[in-house]
Amino acid sequence: MPFSRVKAMKILIIDDEKEMIESERALLERPEYELHAALGGIEALARLESEHFDLLLLDMKMPDLDGFQLLDILSDRWPDIQVIVVSGEDSFDAVSHALHRGANDFIKKPYAPKELITIVENAYQRWKLEGINARISQHIRESEKLHRFIVDHSPDFIYVLDHEGKFIYVNDRVKPMLGYEKEDLIGQHFSVLLSEEDLDKFSYFVAERRTGERMTRNVEIRLRRKPDEERRDDRYRDFENDMIPIELNAMGVYNEESDENVPGEKGFHGTYGVARDISERKSAEATIQYQAYHDLLTGLPNRALLEDRIRVAVMQSKRIKTMVAVLFLDLDAFKKINDSLGHSIGDSFLKAMANRLKACLREGDTLARFGGDEFVVVLPYARNEANVSLVAEKLLSQLRKPVEIDGQELFVTGSIGIALCPGDGQTMDDLIKHADIAMYAAKAAGKNCFHYCSEAMNAKHVNHLSMEQGLHRALKNNELLIEYQPQVDIESYQIVAMEALLRWEHPDYGRLSPSEFIPLAEESGLIIQIGEWVIIEACRQIREWRDMGRQDIRVSVNLSALQLHQENIVETVQQALQKAQLPGDALEIELTESVLMQDMDDAKRKLDRLNATGVKVAIDDFGTGYSSLAYIHELPVHTLKIDQGFVQRMNRNAADNSVIAAIIAMAEGLNLDLIAEGVETEEQLQQLKEMGCKNMQGFLYSRPLPKQAAAELLAANDEDARFRVIQSVAG
Ligand code: C2E
Ligand code: MG
Ligand code: MG
């Protein structure tokens, strides 16, 4: 203890008689006392002016400056000095007078030696205690100052909550970190710093009641900055929703003896907490995480993430019994670009290409950069090889298009190797290895093409280089055909029209549905020729059925955007009608909302001209696009086809019912025909009937049928529509 070693007490003996001084000095000679003397009041004053004394032994009667006068000066200038009055006077008045003026004790001359020794000894004890006290409080003051300094300069937010969870102390950090002035928070409940969703999760930690081992230690939570606070500290700018990630240590504060005056838990005073801002650490972690899994140049997943995606895809495919396709893509002449134009152009090229390739893929597919100019595509839900080939074809056609960098057009091609899981492997290594081998086979076969890993699959591909060439050939080889799906009157089950739906009987892949090849046909422009064929074939078919006796029958044909905006679409339709000797209203064309919206003015011009020849217009998949009354009003539209999505979700989702009701009301208001697509159940039919829908198309009545079967159905329908319905539902 620093307080135990006390220095000697400085005593000044003041008397006008030398003998008195000497006798007192002799009696008090001890190591604890440091004795000094002054002969008379004036000399005493001079000594007091120049040094400090702890105790004065003061004679009252002195000729120059007496004891009373000196007491007055002392109480004025040195009130802390203890004074023992040593005097010949012992009247009560004199004693009281002296004590009144600040003397601490009194001894009467002549005194017994013991008396003097004891009285000084008492003064010494008092002095020693006071000294200890003074030093302790000095020490406390200093250490408190130090702690406050440490706390206020701490990089952490430090707080104390009372037993109700209200702030009673916050340090200076609160302003830069959370945007609050100290005064804003004092008295507030801590929940102002938590978002509503975090309140349940984190309240417990912030207002921790436990101590010791069970206190809150290094728990990561989020605190909310003061809303709308103008940001002073840029470091906090980036955090979404003003939430700051912090690491919290907090514990309950208890009183040893419980305090009756403080309500709540026995002895519980509140919570002491230290919150460390870890936003920098968090963003660094996020960056590191991102960099660990992405290629820095293109931002695409890297090998590590690719491995993960393949693993997940393979696992899922086992469960839901689909294929996973891994496509290994290598640019054929990228090295030339790099060598001749430099790496920075090469980098820009790769970036542009990566973006373009990504745009070909669906959500859920992965495009990863595997190495320099190598990319890997993972298709986790590949339905069949035809689909995979389509994607490969699309990727190749994107690669072939020039990339413009710094004003110059750069061309490359690519080669793709394909491995399929489960057939070609079930791990990333196997699948990549096989896709890589297949990629080299594609290069060997002349580049700019794709190649499957398995021999059997390749055998199918040697005959034709691509789906695109396949489609060209499909037209020539009569591989395209049309199926017809009836549209019937809901009440009478009378067939009012047939929708022409295109199919491709592929020599290798079997029957392909339009969604599997129409996108490619559109991309390559082949849709124009194919569409023309559909129109001519449909008109030929109507003629046949009309000749058969169904004079009223109409056929509807789907047109894609490219077809509608093609220059001579009106002439194409007119010629087809003429050739089959049909009136315009024997044909209806179906367009989706998005097709119409692509170029409204052109659409309107074309449709007006078709309408003038009697051709009807239906809006297909109605309700899924931009259902704006304004444009329907301006266009010569006759029919709205309620999208099958709404019909199928009917009764499961109230919103879909109200969409249907709104479409029905709209059709009535605009005097348009209405047909519900995709009707599969009696229940849907009943409901549509009740809602006032007049026509329907769907599996409930009939699937799309080959032309022969459609003809038979038409004939039978003429005789007994109802009977057929009952049969088809039962079958
Ligand atoms: P869409 O015009 O909306 O045709 C209706 C689709 O729904 C057809 O699919 C049909 O088979 C199917 N469908 C009919 N009733 C039901 C049912 O009750 N339940 C279910 N789940 N489906 C039903 P498909 O034949 O695969 O045709 C798909 C799309 O391809 C068509 O949609 C159409 O937009 C387009 N398409 C078909 N033929 C041609 C064509 O010749 N040219 C163009 N450009 N597009 C065509
Ligand atoms: Mg249609
Ligand atoms: Mg439709």
Side-chain angles (χ1 to χ4, degrees), residues 37-167:
L39 201 58
I42 298 286
E43 191 185 327
L45 196 57
R47 290 295 298 273
L48 284 165
E49 302 262 359
S50 67
E51 59 190 302
H52 172 79
F53 292 94
D54 301 311
L55 175 68
L56 308 183
L57 294 176
L58 178 63
D59 180 26
M60 294 309 280
K61 262 205 204 134
M62 291 182 295
D64 50 355
L65 186 68
D66 75 12
F68 290 109
Q69 287 171 301
L70 208 54
L71 274 172
D72 283 345
I73 298 171
L74 282 166
S75 74
D76 194 33
R77 295 179 56 192
W78 298 284
D80 291 339
I81 301 178
Q82 291 196 62
V83 180
I84 297 172
V85 169
V86 185
S87 170
E89 288 196 55
D90 65 347
S91 70
F92 176 78
D93 265 4
V95 174
S96 114
H97 195 172
L99 293 176
H100 209 77
R101 295 202 178 184
N104 299 74
D105 223 332
F106 184 90
I107 185 169
K108 186 187 165 327
K109 283 193 237 182
Y111 45 76
K114 184 94 197 306
E115 214 180 339
L116 180 74
I117 290 167
T118 310
I119 215 164
V120 173
E121 169 71 24
N122 288 344
Y124 174 71
Q125 291 305 338
R126 215 160 39 233
W127 170 81
K128 206 166 75 175
L129 263 178
E130 269 170 15
I132 291 170
N133 279 346
R135 264 166 295 166
I136 289 177
S137 44
Q138 170 75 4
H139 184 82
I140 289 173
R141 271 199 301 278
E142 268 162 17
S143 98
E144 224 178 61
K145 217 161 101 188
L146 181 69
H147 278 112
R148 192 161 287 265
F149 178 84
I150 293 172
V151 165
D152 276 340
H153 288 78
S154 159
D156 299 335
F157 167 50
I158 297 173
Y159 64 87
V160 180
L161 301 176
D162 68 9
H163 64 280
E164 289 180 319
K166 291 180 179 159
F167 286 104

Side-chain angles (χ1 to χ4, degrees), residues 399-440:
L399 284 171
R400 281 192 287 265
K401 290 184 188 160
V403 173
E404 199 190 301
I405 287 166
D406 289 351
Q408 51 184 324
E409 289 201 323
L410 306 176
F411 292 88
V412 293
T413 54
S415 300
I416 296 177
I418 304 172
L420 300 173
C421 165
D424 301 328
Q426 303 211 17
T427 61
M428 147 133 164
D429 284 349
D430 273 357
L431 288 165
I432 297 269
K433 188 175 81 195
H434 287 134
D436 192 27
I437 293 170
M439 188 273 293
Y440 276 103

Side-chain angles (χ1 to χ4, degrees), residues 485 499-503 513-515 518 522 527 531 534 557-560 563 590 592 620-621 641 644 648 677-680 697-700 702 704:
Q485 189 178 30
E499 177 172 7
L501 294 163
L502 185 61
R503 272 82 184 101
S513 71
S515 62
I518 293 250
E522 281 175 336
I527 189 71
V534 173
V557 167
N558 296 282
L559 288 197
S560 69
Q563 284 176 277
E590 293 191 6
T592 62
D620 206 351
D621 305 341
K641 297 189 77 178
Q644 47 180 288
Q648 273 147 28
E677 279 191 278
V679 180
E680 292 180 352
Q697 174 181 354
F699 294 171
L700 176 65
S702 170

Side-chain angles (χ1 to χ4, degrees), residues 10 36 141 156 211 310 361 437 493 518 523 571 609 624 635:
K10 254 174 106 179
H36 299 260
R141 271 199 301 278
D156 299 335
T211 58
I310 293 183
L361 301 175
I437 293 170
Y493 290 95
I518 293 250
E523 206 167 281
E571 288 74 19
R609 286 180 59 204
T624 56
L635 297 172

Side-chain angles (χ1 to χ4, degrees), residues 680-698:
E680 292 180 352
T681 66
E682 273 298 336
E683 204 189 339
Q684 290 163 351
L685 180 74
Q686 282 310 323
Q687 183 113 20
L688 286 162
K689 219 189 250 183
E690 279 162 28
M691 291 172 98
C693 183
K694 300 262 168 4
N695 299 293
M696 66 115 162
Q697 174 181 354

Side-chain angles (χ1 to χ4, degrees), residues 302-589:
N302 63 9
R303 279 183 199 217
L305 187 51
L306 174 68
E307 183 162 6
D308 196 55
R309 297 268 170 93
I310 293 183
R311 206 182 43 240
V312 172
V314 168
M315 246 157 48
Q316 265 180 352
S317 76
K318 281 184 193 157
R319 217 178 40 236
I320 56 176
K321 307 255 180 304
T322 51
M323 279 196 312
V324 177
V326 174
L327 286 70
F328 197 105
L329 189 161
D330 185 279
L331 302 184
D332 291 327
F334 179 69
K335 197 172 170 317
K336 252 194 263 163
I337 293 181
N338 241 351
D339 290 349
S340 58
L341 301 171
H343 286 273
S344 115
I345 299 245
D347 283 354
S348 308
F349 179 84
L350 283 176
K351 265 197 254 183
M353 208 38 112
N355 284 335
R356 200 189 267 180
L357 294 176
K358 209 156 64 182
C360 298
L361 301 175
R362 288 175 314 182
E363 212 181 322
D365 298 344
T366 295
L367 171 68
R369 183 164 178 223
F370 198 71
D373 61 347
E374 295 168 336
F375 297 87
V376 170
V377 174
V378 183
L379 309 176
Y381 309 108
R383 266 204 297 141
N384 51 36
E385 287 90 353
N387 261 325
V388 178
S389 302
L390 249 175
V391 175
E393 191 58 54
K394 240 170 145 183
L395 291 167
L396 290 177
S397 74
Q398 286 303 319
L399 284 171
R400 281 192 287 265
K401 290 184 188 160
V403 173
E404 199 190 301
I405 287 166
D406 289 351
Q408 51 184 324
E409 289 201 323
L410 306 176
F411 292 88
V412 293
T413 54
S415 300
I416 296 177
I418 304 172
L420 300 173
C421 165
D424 301 328
Q426 303 211 17
T427 61
M428 147 133 164
D429 284 349
D430 273 357
L431 288 165
I432 297 269
K433 188 175 81 195
H434 287 134
D436 192 27
I437 293 170
M439 188 273 293
Y440 276 103
K443 292 225 179 213
K447 301 182 176 172
N448 191 14
C449 65
F450 63 89
H451 221 265
Y452 278 89
C453 166
S454 89
E455 285 306 316
M457 279 303 301
N458 281 329
K460 288 186 183 178
H461 279 270
V462 282
N463 300 333
H464 49 91
L465 263 169
S466 67
M467 287 280 276
E468 197 175 312
Q469 278 166 313
L471 257 183
H472 268 296
R473 197 208 43 209
L475 267 171
K476 265 188 269 152
N477 294 5
N478 294 328
E479 289 165 14
L480 297 179
L481 54 105
I482 298 178
E483 286 193 328
Y484 295 90
Q485 189 178 30
Q487 305 180 341
V488 298
D489 180 296
I490 276 189
E491 293 294 340
S492 66
Y493 290 95
Q494 194 68 27
I495 296 176
V496 292
M498 290 281 198
E499 177 172 7
L501 294 163
L502 185 61
R503 272 82 184 101
W504 179 7
E505 199 62 66
H506 195 283
D508 301 322
Y509 309 144
R511 165 89 42 114
L512 298 180
S513 71
S515 62
E516 285 168 299
F517 62 90
I518 293 250
L520 180 63
E522 281 175 336
E523 206 167 281
S524 60
L526 268 172
I527 189 71
I528 305 284
Q529 285 157 269
I530 293 174
E532 192 174 328
W533 176 83
V534 173
I535 293 166
I536 294 169
E537 175 60 20
C539 288
R540 196 200 53 73
Q541 189 60 66
I542 306 170
R543 180 74 272 153
E544 206 178 296
W545 286 332
R546 292 201 164 193
D547 289 348
M548 206 177 79
R550 291 292 304 244
Q551 284 303 335
D552 55 331
I553 202 71
R554 184 178 35 157
V555 167
S556 58
V557 167
N558 296 282
L559 288 197
S560 69
L562 211 63
Q563 284 176 277
L564 178 66
H565 298 302
Q566 153 212 7
E567 209 165 315
N568 48 5
I569 179 68
V570 181
E571 288 74 19
T572 304
V573 171
Q574 281 170 343
Q575 280 162 20
L577 286 166
Q578 258 163 31
K579 198 172 161 213
Q581 296 178 308
L582 290 169
D585 64 6
L587 192 70
E588 181 169 61
I589 57 171

